[in-house]
Amino acid sequence: MQSYQMYIDGQWCHADSGQTYDAINPATAQPFAKVARGSRVDAQRAICAAHEANRLWRDVPLWERSALCVKIADLIDSTKNQLAHILCTELGKPHHGEAVDEADEASVPWRIAAEQAKYLESNTIPCADHSKRVLTFRRPRGVVTALTPWNFPAAIPGEYLPFAIVMGNSVCWSPSPTSAATACVLMECIHEAGLPKGVINLVTGPGAEVGDELVVNKGTHAICMTGSPETANIITQRAGLKPRLFELGGNGPVVILPDADPKQIATCIAYACFYAAGQVCSCAERILVADSLKQDFVDAMIEEASHWKLGDPWDKATNMGPQNNVGVLDKMISHVADAKHRGAKVVAGGNRPELPGFFHEPTVLVDFAPDSLVNREETFGPIAPIASFMDEAEAWDYINACDLGLVSSVFTNDIDRAWHWAENLNTGITVINDWTHFWEHHLPFGGMASNSSGIGRVGGRHTLEFMSDLKTIAFSCGGPSVDSSIWQS
Ligand code: NAP
């Protein structure tokens, strides 16, 4: 069985304890590899290496740091087949669809970070004090902790690592244990590019131990994490005053106004529900449709659900893989049961298929209640819960029952209604007339303030800004403001 090691101070290494754990293929529930099980000791070794590296790395010219990111991107592109293979094996992503899609995308943020860092301008600022010349520029923060989830393990690290290093930071990275083999394949590209030792360190092992050490240890200076609001709350309590960038869970909504065409939009909405077996933060997890369109839309969604095929992720006919682990599967099952208990009807799917692994059928629910779990929480499974509304107030009753606010979509041909909804929905992003998954790596992405979907924004210059401190320098051109003459008057 293959084994995967961690990467500290420019070297592949075992855990200090020598321990490993089994990497499980979620499509079979069987182990396929061993992964080094790191501990606090390994995290501390990584922090020391990152510190040492940062003394030199922060002074490497930006253009050289940028060129190294491009070199890593090229190596990621030349490793696409291997990445797609491990994404299929470790995550159960259908090879001919999602696995190849993610492998294709993995290099993109490395190129964007490399490019945009070169054009990140800062200001000179006029002052009331005529003798002062004030300017700002960006300095590295130091050692950045990156904690990444399992759902896009080749793409999401790219939202942090290149942005951190191009700004002159070094990184201690802890991936989710259920996607650590993919992290190791990505790390191999970083190693091959010849990045100086210690600039990026990969520590595999449980988040509550390895990740926690990277959060609390005084040797790290900023934390970025993609994951659940629950983990973000723990990190917040443990991190003290360290700056944090959190990309957390979402729960739609998708709002379909009476002038939309339900048949035309159903395919795109079903994709937003079922792509990646619903394990995307931007999924359309609750759909609110104008009552006059309800039946046509429900019929179209039942038809759409029939196009999603579960099975062996290597099979070309399969376009939906398994849930990542038993916990995710259990949450899906409990959300469906809760919705039914509160009056919803299952009109497609609703069960586990007779397959090994952690699969769940694509499921369409109708008439869920506002207080049901599918409305109040993120399900993170292949679910399309539909409720209808007679007027806007009824739609807002559903929307306001959930405090997640990441991505929403509104379907209408009325420009005034579109603006009204876009400005009032409390989500970081609102897409008009398309699916909730629209995003490109240079666009700001994140949760709205005052809800549980995150803090800050990733995307292009927004991540670069988080990865640096704004330094203000004031030159006095007229000598000191106060001198001994004040005692002579
Ligand atoms: P998670 O359980 O919150 O874990 C995220 C990462 O944090 C994992 O590596 C985890 O390791 C680690 N971790 C757990 N406890 C920790 C602690 N006490 N200290 C430091 N690190 C700790 O999330 P997940 O299940 O991997 O990912 C799914 C979630 O991510 C969903 O809610 C999804 O919506 C969200 N997500 C958001 C975005 C976005 O851009 N907004 C994108 C993708 C996913 P362990 O696995 O060992 O616990």
Side-chain angles (χ1 to χ4, degrees), residues 147-151 156 174-177 206-208 211-212 215 225-228 231 234-235 247-250 281 378 380 406 445:
L147 305 167
T148 53
W150 46 262
N151 63 336
I156 287 179
S174 176
S176 168
D212 183 69
V215 166
M225 193 275 282
T226 299
S228 61
T231 303
I234 296 171
I235 291 172
E247 291 298 324
L248 310 178
C281 56
E378 179 185 55
F380 227 50
L406 195 59
F445 184 94

Side-chain angles (χ1 to χ4, degrees), residues 9 13 85 143 217 250 278 311 335 346 427 457:
D9 204 17
C13 53
H85 190 285
V143 177
N217 193 299
H335 277 207
V346 175
T427 52
R457 294 287 179 273

Side-chain angles (χ1 to χ4, degrees), residues 50-287:
H51 257 276
E52 197 51 36
N54 198 246
R55 294 195 304 143
L56 298 176
W57 179 248
R58 63 195 295 124
D59 289 328
V60 169
L62 170 58
W63 257 243
E64 281 180 35
R65 299 195 303 248
S66 167
L68 264 167
C69 286
V70 173
K71 194 168 174 190
I72 293 169
D74 291 343
L75 282 156
I76 292 172
D77 281 342
S78 64
T79 311
K80 276 180 190 178
N81 290 344
Q82 204 187 334
L83 274 173
H85 190 285
I86 192 70
L87 286 164
C88 184
T89 308
E90 188 173 39
L91 282 303
K93 295 191 180 225
H95 184 264
H96 301 281
E98 288 168 34
V100 167
D101 290 350
E102 187 175 348
D104 280 347
E105 192 195 335
S107 68
V108 173
W110 292 82
R111 295 190 198 284
I112 287 181
E115 201 54 27
Q116 294 212 343
K118 294 197 280 192
Y119 305 111
L120 191 67
E121 295 177 359
S122 49
N123 299 324
T124 55
I125 307 169
C127 297
D129 181 340
H130 184 64
S131 73
K132 295 296 186 298
R133 304 291 177 267
V134 176
L135 58 94
T136 58
F137 72 112
R138 295 204 162 265
R139 297 292 294 145
R141 288 196 188 272
V143 177
V144 171
T145 291
L147 305 167
T148 53
W150 46 262
N151 63 336
F152 288 94
I156 287 179
E159 291 170 19
Y160 300 127
L161 307 186
F163 293 90
I165 66 168
V166 79
M167 294 307 282
N169 304 283
S170 45
V171 177
C172 294
W173 170 29
S174 176
S176 168
T178 57
S179 60
T182 306
C184 291
V185 174
L186 197 61
M187 193 69 226
E188 186 63 42
C189 301
I190 298 168
H191 169 70
E192 283 292 312
L195 198 66
K197 65 177 190 172
V199 172
I200 297 182
N201 305 276
L202 170 70
V203 193
T204 53
E209 192 177 337
V210 169
D212 183 69
E213 184 64 30
L214 299 178
V215 166
V216 297
N217 193 299
K218 296 238 177 316
T220 63
H221 307 117
I223 297 160
C224 42
M225 193 275 282
T226 299
S228 61
E230 294 75 23
T231 303
N233 274 320
I234 296 171
I235 291 172
T236 296
Q237 285 159 23
R238 303 279 290 157
L241 297 179
K242 292 180 192 178
R244 285 155 295 139
L245 175 57
F246 284 154
E247 291 298 324
L248 310 178
N251 191 19
V254 170
V255 181
I256 305 170
L257 297 182
D259 66 317
D261 177 344
K263 288 191 181 131
Q264 189 205 11
I265 63 182
T267 305
C268 137
I269 293 176
Y271 249 86
C273 297
F274 299 141
Y275 187 76
Q279 299 167 113
V280 192
C281 56
S282 53
C283 269
E285 291 207 1
R286 49 188 181 144
I287 304 159

